[in-house]
């Protein structure tokens, strides 16, 4: 029996999808879930940064659907889905092109829905 606190998460033998898993909190969360005993399907737009990640742009519903179906096909079920994908538009608001603001909304809001 492990003497650490990884079992506190209650994720042993659970299947978890984590988006935004190439860096930052999303990557850290995916690692923590795996250490807690979960089977983790990680997803990210920057697929080339992680060997087993599913290429997923959460702003595209067809990508999210493909991720869901691939997870079910590989693991037989899905117990938890953690949306951590996010983007930002940098610079003074009026100088950022509208298309960049729209991408923030598609990813951060609609991608979570």
């Amino acid at each position: 029996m492990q003497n650490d606190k990884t079992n506190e998460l209650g994720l042993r033998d659970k299947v978890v999808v984590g988006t935004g898993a190439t860096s930052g909190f999303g990557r850290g969360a995916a690692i923590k879930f795996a250490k807690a005993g979960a089977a983790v399907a990680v997803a990210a737009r920057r697929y080339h940064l992680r060997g087993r990640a599913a290429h997923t742009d959460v702003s595209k519903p067809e990508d999210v659907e493909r991720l869901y179906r691939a997870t079910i096909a590989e693991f037989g079920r899905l117990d938890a889905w953690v949306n951590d994908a996010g983007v930002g538009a940098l610079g003074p608001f009026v100088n950022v092109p509208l298309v960049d603001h729209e991408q923030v909304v598609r990813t951060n809001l609609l991608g979570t829905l």
Side-chain angles (χ1 to χ4, degrees):
M1 181 172 194
Q2 291 180 326
N3 194 18
D4 59 28
K5 296 184 177 189
T6 58
N7 290 331
E8 287 181 8
L9 296 177
L11 293 176
R12 182 161 308 288
D13 300 322
K14 301 294 184 187
V15 177
V16 179
V17 166
T19 68
T22 54
S23 63
F25 182 82
R27 182 175 186 272
I31 291 168
K32 182 112 176 156
F33 298 153
K35 286 182 178 179
V40 183
V42 295
R45 284 181 308 125
R46 295 180 293 170
Y47 177 72
H48 64 281
L49 296 180
R50 295 186 58 83
R52 290 205 26 115
H55 181 270
T56 304
D57 181 340
V58 298
S59 73
K60 298 178 179 177
E62 61 275 13
D63 280 13
V64 175
E65 180 70 22
R66 185 175 54 249
L67 172 60
Y68 169 76
R69 290 185 185 282
T71 301
I72 297 300
E74 184 169 343
F75 299 108
R77 68 178 200 282
L78 175 60
D79 299 305
W81 186 294
V82 178
N83 282 315
D84 191 60
V87 297
L90 302 177
F93 184 83
V94 296
N95 293 342
V96 175
L98 181 58
V99 67
D100 292 349
H101 289 297
E102 290 171 340
Q103 184 62 44
V104 169
V105 171
R106 279 193 305 276
T107 299
N108 298 355
L109 176 62
L110 299 177
T112 299
L113 296 176

